Amino acid sequence: EHNVELLAPLAYSAVPIVGTEPSCTLTLTDEYPQLVRSTAARRVASQTMMLETFLLQVLDSRPELSRSLFHHSAGNSSGEQFLYHAHCHQKALVGSGDAVRLMGLAFGDRATEINSGCCGMAGSFGHEREHYEVAKAMGEQRLFPVIRSAPGAQIAVEGFSCRQQVEHHTEVQPRHLVEYLADAVMGR
């Protein structure tokens, strides 16, 4: 109720409420309207979106921005591969299409989504001692082997818990998608 009260004036003013952590952002869109059950909560939900959705709305309305922001990145011939893993909450509620499309604009055909299920962390589940082996086994089904088989690839993972799980079990330090996008815009 407190968060809805804080965000409602923005939502009623049609200000986009943008987030970068899937589980937190999508809680506003999915759970708040069910828990608070008010017009204000539904309005907050309708104005809330992931950063990549917001950025695509801006870029779609102004295509010249995409060309000027990412021209040097997508054409980069370094061959550096960008692999993306979407958070389960994100996959279930909004999908990963916007993130994948944005990566394509920034990194061209070097960017692909890993065909994976859950990383195994599942919120606090993977932190609990009694679930450690199950959580690890979930990631080992598809996600971890793909990451290990692509040494030198840049691994983009939006979910905080997913990044922890990937780093712990693969010794690869993934970064948030927004970090890679910032590098692309800065020409790094």
Side-chain angles (χ1 to χ4, degrees):
E1 290 171 345
H2 175 75
N3 289 340
V4 168
E5 185 178 321
L6 289 174
L7 295 170
L10 297 171
Y12 282 116
S13 296
V15 173
I17 300 167
V18 179
T20 58
E21 173 59 38
S23 61
C24 296
T25 306
L26 298 172
T27 294
L28 291 171
T29 65
D30 183 49
E31 295 171 22
Y32 273 41
Q34 296 175 48
L35 294 171
V36 179
R37 296 185 184 271
S38 69
T39 303
R42 288 188 298 277
R43 183 65 181 183
V44 167
S46 73
Q47 287 299 116
T48 301
M49 66 191 81
M50 293 294 299
L51 176 66
E52 57 268 18
T53 301
F54 174 75
L55 290 175
L56 284 174
Q57 287 178 1
V58 171
L59 294 175
D60 285 347
S61 69
R62 300 201 39 216
E64 73 280 2
L65 286 177
S66 179
R67 289 186 296 276
S68 66
L69 287 175
F70 299 128
H71 74 280
H72 54 276
S73 300
N76 183 337
S77 60
S78 70
E80 193 170 57
Q81 186 180 17
F82 287 84
L83 298 176
Y84 173 75
H85 170 72
H87 189 281
C88 289
H89 207 162
Q90 179 181 6
K91 289 177 189 178
L93 295 179
V94 295
S96 57
D98 286 349
V100 171
R101 182 170 161 231
L102 192 56
M103 283 186 68
L105 290 173
F107 308 111
D109 60 6
R110 298 177 296 131
T112 58
E113 181 175 13
I114 299 170
N115 180 12
S116 60
C118 181
C119 71
M121 186 59 79
S124 65
F125 179 85
H127 286 292
E128 298 165 353
R129 182 175 300 198
E130 65 270 22
H131 300 133
Y132 180 85
E133 291 302 324
V134 172
K136 179 181 178 185
M138 289 173 72
E140 289 293 354
Q141 286 179 344
R142 289 185 283 181
L143 178 60
F144 303 159
V146 169
I147 291 171
R148 286 189 201 107
S149 72
Q154 301 298 310
I155 310 298
V157 179
E158 287 182 277
F160 172 75
S161 57
C162 302
R163 285 193 306 277
Q164 284 185 319
Q165 183 78 331
V166 166
E167 184 174 359
H168 180 70
H169 291 291
T170 68
E171 298 184 8
V172 170
Q173 188 168 9
R175 295 172 66 207
H176 195 289
L177 174 60
V178 76
E179 293 177 279
Y180 287 115
L181 294 172
D183 285 351
V185 169
M186 300 302 291
R188 292 184 244 166

